[in-house]
Amino acid sequence: MKLFLDTANIDEIKALKDTGFVDGVTTNPSLIAKSGHDLMDTIAEICELVSGPVSAEVTATDADTMLKEGLKLAAIADNVAVKVPLTEAGLMTCKTLSDQGTMVNVTLCFSAAQALLAAKAGAKFISPFVGRLDDIGSDGMTLIEEIVTIYANYDMPTEVLVASVRGVQHVVDAAMMGADVATVPPQVISAMFKHPLTDKGLAAFLTDWEKTGQSIL
Ligand code: G3P
């Protein structure tokens, strides 16, 4: 399963990119606003830092303007994936851009029916928001299971990109379901390394090693 970083913060991306676990980046208008920096400059810098897909979202709501914005975003770098919302206009734009060979990430997906339409529109990625479904008492992971099943039934190439991830368990559940990608906040990737028994076991190993008086180098 691929791991994408869900952030527009350049420092956060720089801090984690050298781990080798950053397969791509996703942004959205809220993350860009949070970064405090210019969208075009930020996406260009991220595309320099990360060779995998970098999602940049349109902000128009009509198909004609979405297309103009999408083409401008796609022109920033070859690894830009244009993000469009799961609306009728968004899927029309997805079809046009995908037909031209542009990667499209269809975002704000909350149902299997929506995901089916996105795949039919040629989306490279579908982004179901599991955390926001959990937030309202639904089960985000049930949606992931439905989408993975539907796409497998018809051998649809659209990649399931689990988004709105709230913690490590979402990543594990997504992998158990066979999702292609999880896009995670930087703190979740950092948390994936951690387990108290690992820390405890390492401390014990090093304490016992110290007693030997030996050194490897
Ligand atoms: O990639 C989508 C993600 O940024 C949304 O997360 O926490 O706002 O639901 P959240």
Side-chain angles (χ1 to χ4, degrees), residues 34-210:
K34 186 179 174 184
S35 78
H37 296 290
D38 174 81
L39 167 66
M40 306 300 280
D41 294 344
T42 300
I43 298 301
E45 191 168 357
I46 296 172
C47 288
E48 284 289 318
L49 286 169
V50 176
S51 58
V54 176
S55 291
E57 189 162 340
V58 300
T59 55
T61 53
D62 68 287
D64 288 346
T65 316
M66 275 182 181
L67 181 57
K68 291 187 181 106
E69 290 183 347
L71 290 169
K72 186 172 179 183
L73 293 170
I76 294 171
D78 290 343
N79 55 324
V80 166
V82 176
K83 241 186 183 182
V84 297
L86 212 150
T87 62
E88 200 169 329
L91 292 190
M92 287 166 64
T93 306
C94 174
K95 182 90 174 65
T96 305
L97 289 172
S98 298
D99 286 352
Q100 295 174 9
T102 298
M103 285 192 290
V104 179
N105 179 357
V106 177
T107 190
L108 289 168
C109 172
F110 294 96
S111 77
Q114 287 181 319
L116 177 57
L117 293 178
K120 290 173 68 66
K124 169 71 176 172
F125 302 107
I126 183 67
S127 290
F129 278 33
V130 296
R132 295 191 189 184
L133 284 168
D134 291 355
D135 291 346
I136 63 166
S138 295
D139 180 1
M141 278 304 155
T142 300
L143 174 59
I144 301 304
E145 192 171 21
E146 290 171 346
I147 298 171
V148 169
T149 303
I150 291 169
Y151 284 8
N153 287 348
Y154 299 96
D155 201 20
M156 292 173 150
T158 301
E159 295 184 36
V160 181
L161 193 166
V162 178
S164 187
V165 165
R166 294 283 193 273
V168 173
Q169 195 57 48
H170 270 160
V171 181
V172 172
D173 292 345
M176 291 288 286
M177 301 281 175
D180 301 282
V181 189
T183 191
V184 299
Q187 64 269 22
V188 172
I189 285 203
S190 299
M192 288 176 72
F193 290 99
K194 304 275 190 296
H195 194 290
L197 290 180
T198 303
D199 297 342
K200 186 179 176 187
L202 182 57
F205 284 163
L206 297 181
T207 299
D208 291 343
W209 177 250
E210 285 290 311

